[in-house]
Amino acid sequence: MLLKPNVSVHNLNVFYGKDHVLHDVSVEIPNKKITVIIGPSGCGKTTLLKSFNRLIDSVDGVKVTGEVLVDGENIYDPKAEVTHIRKKMGLLSQRPYPLPMSIYDNVAYGPRLCGEKNKKKLDRIVEHFLHTASLWDEVKDKLNSPAARLSVGQQQRLCLARGLAVGPEIILGDEPTSALDPKSSKHIEERFMELKQYYTIILVTHILRQAKRLADYVLFLYMGRLIEHGPAKEIFENPKEKMTKEYIQGIIS
Amino acid sequence: MMRGLAVASTLIVVLIALALFMRSKPILALKPLTTLLFSTAWHPSRGEFGFLAFIAGTLWVTLVASFIAIPVCILASIYLSEYADKRLREWIGPFIDILAGIPSVVYGMWGVLVIVPLVKNIIAPLFGGYSAGYSVLAGGLVLAVMISPVIIHISVEVLRTVPSDLKQASLALGATKWETIKFVVMKRAMPGMIAASVLGLSRAFGETIAVMMVVGNVARIPRTVFDPAYPLPALIANNYGEMLSIPLYDSGLLFAALLLLLVVIYFNVVSKMILSGSKWSLYYNG
């Protein structure tokens, strides 16, 4: 029997006021793979990504039709509990936004929201996920200093640890390396390659080389429409659509 | 030219402080500072100038006003910046600014007509006390309304500087909106809201006419909020220019004015320092 996909999208339309930002997107995101959403800026990549955990709810005048199924549950069902949905996903944004508290408290934030109070357990969680994000050795002596004192690259790894500590199945990344120097970017990319055996990872990027390095599966968006999607090899080497070909060859951007 | 004006305005503060200091020198030369500040004996005709009752009156009224105003204003500003939709915010904003512009004598009238009877007939009996109505509480209530606009205005500004991506980071971790406000937004905005409150306090501290009309002006240290008080600004406004034939009276009142000026300057400097924020920027940016 085929594994049910973690995320599947059916006829998703998103409007910001009168702007029709996403047109009728339908796609199944493969499990435990890295799916990369590519496309020129303003094509709706970030909107699609943020519709997976309903972060677009906070946009003024947003309207959504169609459905996004996460583990078989339509997250836009009025009865769906949004905090529960969001705990299934970790988010990395374009710039890291550490919470205004210590390194330790940043990682412990999610578990504490879930009601975890046991200090020993929290210690273990914090250490474990800082290891996973390969940040532990750099911060183990200053867990109580403000997270804002870390370098941007370290902050992004902290945000990764923080997201993983909630125990998600899915990791969302919105151009997570765009604010980082090449070395830190590489660091983050390596983490993704390790993590994909345990998590379904969905990334937005406008860097084609990065997409080629990381992607197992690719979604190409243009002007709010899903033009083409498929295994990375197919999309990059033998795209069916003319527009995809032109984008990959750098003719349109 | 413009620069000259700008420099002149700072100079005025210095000059006023200097003039007050010069004029209060006679009393400072004759009476030890501790007596002036910590004695309650106020008999100018016998040469006794103890300001404690007035200082206590000022502190009482200011404290009561801030206890009432600060929590209400902080909740109101959270509502306005985080929950209210844009239209409501645009509607309410100007009203709050008008509140800031109402002449204080109008607040005083409103205090006499509404707040004083309210304290006398309803609030004091409710707590089993007696009050003539003209009391610390009446002064505090009127002041609380007067300082609210400035606290709300600045707090809303500060709250709106919290990046929405930061709020989203918290939401994405499964926090509810309220948890996000409590743990992230408030924490980030705290120094700014403290500064807003301190600015409000400094306004309360120096407010004269509206308070004078409702606090009763009895030169005794109030023991409860239902007792009358006599704050420093009221003392100066009531007496300056009237009984200056009494030796040192004039100097004593100018000393009181100097005291007020220094406290208000101090409050303003503190709140500016918090707002421009060594702590604030350090915690977040670097």
Side-chain angles (χ1 to χ4, degrees):
Chain A
M1 199 183 108
L2 269 171
L3 216 65
K4 251 219 239 132
N6 285 136
V7 184
S8 53
V9 183
H10 301 306
N11 307 100
L12 181 73
N13 283 281
V14 176
F15 303 84
Y16 291 156
K18 284 194 183 105
D19 290 337
H20 196 170
V21 200
L22 283 182
H23 295 260
D24 214 25
V25 174
S26 296
V27 66
E28 315 244 297
I29 307 281
N31 282 359
K32 309 270 193 286
K33 293 250 161 53
I34 299 183
T35 298
V36 174
I37 307 174
I38 56 170
S41 39
C43 69
K45 299 187 297 276
T46 298
T47 301
L48 180 60
L49 190 82
K50 288 191 173 174
S51 69
F52 294 156
N53 68 351
R54 283 185 54 178
L55 269 187
I56 52 170
D57 285 12
S58 45
V59 178
D60 268 342
V62 69
K63 208 184 110 208
V64 179
T65 67
E67 51 183 21
V68 175
L69 300 179
V70 175
D71 291 337
E73 182 195 2
N74 178 17
I75 62 169
Y76 286 97
D77 190 312
K79 275 177 284 179
E81 204 180 321
V82 68
T83 54
H84 175 70
I85 293 158
R86 286 178 181 151
K87 279 174 190 155
K88 292 185 180 175
M89 307 185 204
L91 174 77
L92 283 182
S93 51
Q94 295 187 7
R95 279 175 39 105
Y97 278 93
L99 303 172
M101 47 187 84
S102 70
I103 294 170
Y104 183 98
D105 290 339
N106 261 274
V107 184
Y109 187 77
R112 278 181 179 145
L113 289 176
C114 297
E116 184 58 69
K117 290 199 186 83
N118 186 321
K119 177 86 173 84
K120 272 195 195 132
K121 260 194 196 156
L122 284 174
D123 286 349
R124 266 211 308 278
I125 293 174
V126 169
E127 183 176 345
H128 175 77
F129 288 104
L130 284 173
H131 269 302
T132 313
S134 81
L135 188 61
W136 175 254
D137 292 332
E138 290 157 66
V139 300
K140 62 177 184 236
D141 301 321
K142 49 178 181 180
L143 289 174
N144 290 317
S145 71
R149 296 225 185 106
L150 296 173
S151 75
V152 181
Q154 289 172 323
Q155 287 181 11
Q156 192 62 300
R157 276 179 280 148
L158 177 68
C159 291
L160 180 62
R162 180 180 73 186
L164 295 178
V166 186
E169 300 155 18
I170 302 161
I171 300 171
L172 306 176
D174 181 11
E175 303 187 18
T177 60
S178 63
L180 308 185
D181 59 83
K183 201 171 152 228
S184 306
S185 300
K186 192 160 169 261
H187 225 126
I188 292 279
E189 286 185 15
E190 286 166 5
R191 298 289 79 69
F192 284 141
M193 294 306 280
E194 289 165 16
L195 289 169
K196 72 173 181 181
Q197 31 176 335
Y198 310 107
Y199 299 92
T200 299
I201 300 176
I202 309 172
L203 297 177
V204 163
T205 184
H206 64 273
I207 311 166
L208 268 176
R209 266 172 298 141
Q210 185 178 50
K212 284 178 186 165
R213 280 196 298 270
L214 296 176
D216 299 307
Y217 199 81
V218 175
L219 272 54
F220 174 58
L221 280 183
Y222 191 78
M223 307 275 278
R225 289 171 207 277
L226 181 58
I227 304 295
E228 189 170 356
H229 60 98
K233 214 168 164 222
E234 259 172 49
I235 299 278
F236 288 127
E237 289 172 10
N238 193 15
K240 289 190 200 72
E241 300 289 329
K242 187 163 159 270
M243 243 191 273
T244 318
K245 196 178 284 173
E246 288 179 349
Y247 181 73
I248 285 165
Q249 292 170 346
I251 297 171
I252 52 172
S253 59
Chain B
M1 168 71 181
M2 302 271 262
R3 187 166 170 192
L5 285 174
V7 173
S9 65
T10 48
L11 245 153
I12 287 173
V13 178
V14 176
L15 283 177
I16 291 176
L18 213 65
L20 288 177
F21 179 68
M22 298 304 287
R23 296 285 297 274
S24 40
K25 251 180 148 176
I27 199 162
L28 285 168
L30 285 174
K31 311 275 176 191
L33 194 58
T34 45
T35 316
L36 289 174
L37 292 180
F38 300 117
S39 156
T40 51
W42 178 255
H43 303 291
S45 50
R46 282 189 257 147
E48 290 176 343
F49 293 94
F51 283 98
L52 187 62
F54 304 99
I55 293 170
T58 304
L59 290 178
W60 265 91
V61 174
T62 309
L63 281 180
V64 169
S66 45
F67 268 120
I68 299 167
I70 291 171
V72 174
C73 290
I74 285 182
L75 290 176
S77 50
I78 288 175
Y79 177 76
L80 284 176
S81 87
E82 306 297 318
Y83 288 96
D85 64 28
K86 218 169 122 207
R87 235 184 304 146
L88 183 70
R89 199 159 49 222
E90 279 164 4
W91 248 88
I92 290 187
F95 272 100
I96 290 175
D97 292 342
I98 290 173
L99 221 52
I102 294 177
S104 56
V105 69
V106 175
Y107 278 109
M109 294 295 296
W110 169 72
V112 172
L113 293 174
V114 179
I115 299 298
V116 168
L118 184 77
V119 172
K120 181 181 179 194
N121 300 325
I122 298 175
I123 301 179
L126 204 67
F127 289 91
Y130 166 78
S131 175
Y134 293 91
S135 59
V136 170
L137 184 60
L141 281 166
V142 171
L143 264 185
V145 178
M146 292 180 75
I147 64 175
S148 293
V150 68
I151 302 182
I152 293 177
H153 197 113
I154 299 175
S155 298
V156 169
E157 296 285 305
V158 169
L159 284 168
R160 307 205 69 193
T161 63
V162 177
S164 64
D165 285 327
L166 182 64
K167 292 181 218 167
Q168 292 204 347
S170 165
L171 292 173
L173 293 164
T176 61
K177 187 161 187 173
W178 177 240
E179 284 165 339
T180 299
I181 289 171
K182 207 165 47 169
F183 299 129
V184 176
V185 177
M186 288 283 279
K187 189 146 185 198
R188 181 79 196 277
M190 191 52 82
M193 300 216 270
I194 292 173
S197 304
V198 173
L199 267 185
L201 278 191
S202 101
R203 166 106 202 261
F205 211 82
E207 176 50 45
T208 310
I209 187 83
V211 177
M212 194 166 99
M213 290 166 78
V214 299
V215 285
N217 302 332
V218 176
R220 253 200 327 255
I221 296 182
R223 278 159 308 151
T224 76
V225 292
F226 300 122
D227 288 344
Y230 204 163
L232 282 170
L235 170 75
I236 302 168
N238 272 337
N239 296 302
Y240 194 75
E242 301 237 326
M243 301 198 273
L244 297 187
S245 54
I246 300 170
L248 285 181
Y249 203 155
D250 149 83
S251 182
L253 291 181
L254 287 162
F255 170 70
L258 179 66
L259 216 58
L260 270 179
L261 182 70
L262 291 180
V263 171
V264 169
I265 289 176
Y266 176 74
F267 275 173
N268 274 278
V269 169
V270 167
S271 84
K272 282 279 145 47
M273 271 165 56
I274 305 174
L275 267 180
S276 67
S278 47
K279 250 204 215 146
W280 195 10
S281 50
L282 198 144
Y283 213 96
Y284 200 71
N285 299 322

